Amino acid sequence: MKFNKSILSVIASSMLISMLAACGGSGGGAGADQGAATDKSASNADNEPATLVVYSNSGDSPDSWNERFGNALKQKFPNYNIKYIQKQSNYGIKELLTAGETIDIYWDSIGGFASGLLDNGLEYDMTDLVKKHQIDFSKMEPSVADSIKQISKDKIYGIPVFNNNMVLYYNKDIFDKFGVPYPKDGMTWTEANKLAQQLTRVDGKTYIGLSSSQTHMLPMNQLSIPFVDAATEKPTIFTNEKWREYFDTVFVGPSKAQGYVEYMKELKDAIPYRNEFLKEKNVAMFAWLSSIVFVFPEEFQSMNWDMVSLPTFDSLPKVGSQAYPTYFTVTSMSKQRDQAMNVIKYLISDEHQTKLSKIGLMPILNNDAVKKAYGSDSIFKGKNFGASFYNKFAPIPEKSRYDSLMLTPYAKAVPKVIMTGDYNTVFRATEEDTTKKITDAKK
């Protein structure tokens, strides 16, 4: 199957909208073979007619939902009437609940899942359902399986269905132009920054050696720094010294090349981003989501590109970004929990995980065959998709329901630190801003 506009809508909606709204493992990939092992009561529920309402704060379109999940679920469960409701700008979850709608299945990425669930009283401990339906978390990527414990250490509030991480894309034409060897899997940030020095230059136009998407790098940071301290419910940007190390290595390091800051001034004090990498084609290396190539297939088709694993810290060899899973859960409102659980169980089966992997959604199963299928049903055959699985995942720190409020202020601190070099002032101002946001949210 080739990627078409429908697939573009699918992945773009899944990954970009979900992450940006929040800011597309752990546990057990219940395989296709699990169906036979499910107990009798759950099996009977497969054949009982059911109407299930599915909702997400991600804003995913119905086409996106159907392409990834809806069509397969209709075929798998012909007696289920599964109604997907898309979030609208003026009609979200609170309006939906006020109108008396019952939501059976709620889903969102890790950045927004906890707040969407807890703030609306939709949380339901799925522990008994997990046992009854024999969900095997040991089949999942360990860090993804463990991540669900960040919401509650003794309750199961969700099950991961697909994943994401960070890789390093590169424009081969820029490397060829300047006779510089291509990057390789397993590079450190020290090596990547040295490579970037050779590629940041002016030759007809300004070329930048290395940049990254700070809105994705920050919440998935390799040092596992939380946005909010779990004990104090206060932002960490000023108090956790690891942030300075992270900023200095990932963001400030590339900017030390001559001409980088001057180019940022042309961009109105912004770091080179998507437009410069995909359209202007003057950024040699760009750290971005592993799924992003499927978000912008036409742009990537126009570029001579490939990908390698995300560079690592010298002190953390082979540790890449954190995983960024998306969870599905049966809500406290649902009266058809077995049927809702059957839906989720199928989505993490070997069968469906392979389908998702082929179209470019990173699987949560720790299964070599499923991983190998990643991106295989795309127009980008021959690319180094294995780079997505080269590094280990960094541990996921405890998440807060206020994380989504932290992302924009933390991201805005990146160019400010690069331009001024004044960590203390920038971090202190960001701490004050985000502390106020948490205080206002509590009110």
Side-chain angles (χ1 to χ4, degrees), residues 52 84 98 107 165 190-191 278 320 324 340 357 412:
L52 301 172
Y84 173 69
T98 299
W107 65 273
N165 70 348
T190 300
E191 293 169 333
L278 289 181
Y324 202 87
S357 185
K412 287 182 176 179

Side-chain angles (χ1 to χ4, degrees), residues 245-271:
E245 178 187 358
Y246 189 77
F247 272 61
D248 194 55
T249 301
V250 174
F251 302 121
V252 177
S255 75
K256 292 179 179 178
Q258 186 175 359
Y260 193 107
V261 172
E262 288 72 19
Y263 186 66
M264 283 182 61
K265 292 177 182 178
E266 295 180 25
L267 300 177
K268 298 181 179 179
D269 294 352
I271 66 173

Side-chain angles (χ1 to χ4, degrees), residues 53-56 60 83-87 91 96 101-103:
V53 174
V54 181
Y55 179 83
S56 172
D60 252 31
K83 176 184 176 184
Y84 173 69
I85 299 179
Q86 180 185 12
K87 177 186 178 182
Y91 196 83
L96 200 64
E101 183 66 80
T102 295
I103 299 173

Side-chain angles (χ1 to χ4, degrees), residues 97-165:
L97 296 176
T98 299
E101 183 66 80
T102 295
I103 299 173
D104 295 283
I105 297 174
Y106 174 79
W107 65 273
D108 207 345
S109 63
I110 188 173
F113 182 80
S115 58
L117 196 68
L118 301 175
D119 291 351
N120 294 288
L122 295 177
E123 69 273 17
Y124 174 73
D125 184 2
M126 299 169 67
T127 301
D128 289 341
L129 280 176
V130 166
K131 293 178 180 177
K132 180 178 181 180
H133 290 261
Q134 300 181 0
I135 303 299
D136 185 0
F137 285 94
S138 70
K139 292 185 177 180
M140 295 185 185
E141 195 330 285
S143 72
V144 178
D146 291 342
S147 68
I148 197 62
K149 298 176 184 177
Q150 305 298 345
I151 304 173
S152 174
K153 290 181 172 57
D154 57 356
K155 298 177 181 178
I156 299 175
Y157 282 147
I159 295 176
V161 168
F162 62 90
N163 198 12
N164 215 332
N165 70 348

Side-chain angles (χ1 to χ4, degrees), residues 314-330:
D314 292 333
S315 59
L316 293 170
K318 289 213 71 174
V319 175
S321 70
Q322 297 170 42
Y324 202 87
T326 288
Y327 305 109
F328 279 59
T329 187
V330 178

